[in-house]
Amino acid sequence: MFVTSMPDSDPLTNPHPASWPTEKLLSGCDTQRTRRGGPGGQHRNKTETAIVVTHRESGVSGQASERRSQLDNREAAVFRLRLNLAISLRCDKPVQDEAALPSEMWRSRAVGGKLVVSPKHADFPALVAEALDWVFAYQFDLSSAAKQRLGLSTSQLVKFLKLCPEAWQLVQQNRVDAGLPRLK
């Protein structure tokens, strides 16, 4: 999977697009309505309920067509776009800056060394983006990223990343490419 760094990716002034408010995110996206297969029986393909949302700057998209409601499909497509952005785009994290902390969202979710979030929650893509940013900054040393920055144990970080198979696969592939062993 192609991963690119974001220019001017200071997390305080320019946070990851996966964490942007919906209005701000959609202002930089193209939305396409189309007909696709899905539920609906005799109503299938009579209206354009499928939605494809594409982030103009990166070309990353999210799509949904499983619901009969265009509004429901739009919401699902935006969530998938956020998750795809979380996996595809990296914000540089300053490893050498001891004062660099995870976001307020991360700190509020990482309680007692555990990260509490459902993969269906609206915050999930932003948390995946932040975890991946730190893992990339620490050159795929999950132990250092977890303990030094994210306030988690290594096993908790692994469990969290495994909630998003695409993120876990990205970490595993980059570890192999860097000459590190695959994790279980």
Side-chain angles (χ1 to χ4, degrees), residues 128-172:
V128 168
E130 188 159 1
L132 288 174
D133 287 347
W134 283 111
V135 168
F136 271 69
Y138 277 91
Q139 299 174 345
F140 314 103
D141 178 1
L142 272 67
S143 180
S144 294
K147 294 174 184 171
Q148 294 178 20
R149 296 300 172 160
L150 297 173
L152 302 176
S153 67
T154 306
S155 63
Q156 284 296 311
L157 179 56
V158 168
K159 285 180 185 178
F160 172 69
L161 290 172
K162 284 184 175 180
L163 292 174
C164 180
E166 297 88 356
W168 182 242
Q169 181 181 359
L170 177 66
V171 169
Q172 291 282 45

Side-chain angles (χ1 to χ4, degrees), residues 18-30:
S19 65
W20 290 352
T22 302
E23 298 77 31
K24 180 178 179 180
L25 179 62
L26 289 176
S27 70
C29 294
D30 294 322

Side-chain angles (χ1 to χ4, degrees), residues 104-124 127 150-152 156-157 159-160 163:
E104 179 60 37
M105 180 190 309
W106 184 278
R107 292 192 310 265
S108 72
R109 295 277 186 172
V111 180
K114 293 185 178 183
L115 189 64
V116 182
V117 66
S118 164
K120 295 180 181 179
H121 194 278
D123 292 345
F124 185 72
L127 294 170
L150 297 173
L152 302 176
Q156 284 296 311
L157 179 56
K159 285 180 185 178
F160 172 69
L163 292 174

Side-chain angles (χ1 to χ4, degrees), residues 18 25-26 29 53-55 58 60-63 76-86 125:
L25 179 62
L26 289 176
C29 294
V53 182
T54 305
H55 186 246
S58 65
V60 175
S61 66
Q63 54 189 329
V78 169
F79 183 85
R80 291 175 185 151
L81 171 65
R82 288 181 190 280
L83 202 50
N84 292 338
L85 287 168

Side-chain angles (χ1 to χ4, degrees), residues 30-37 49-55 60-67 70 72-84:
D30 294 322
T31 302
Q32 179 184 2
R33 292 162 194 82
T34 184
R35 296 179 191 178
R36 296 233 173 122
T49 57
I51 301 288
V52 179
V53 182
T54 305
H55 186 246
V60 175
S61 66
Q63 54 189 329
S65 63
E66 61 271 7
R67 307 248 191 260
Q70 191 178 80
D72 290 345
N73 282 334
R74 179 180 171 265
E75 186 176 305
V78 169
F79 183 85
R80 291 175 185 151
L81 171 65
R82 288 181 190 280
L83 202 50
N84 292 338

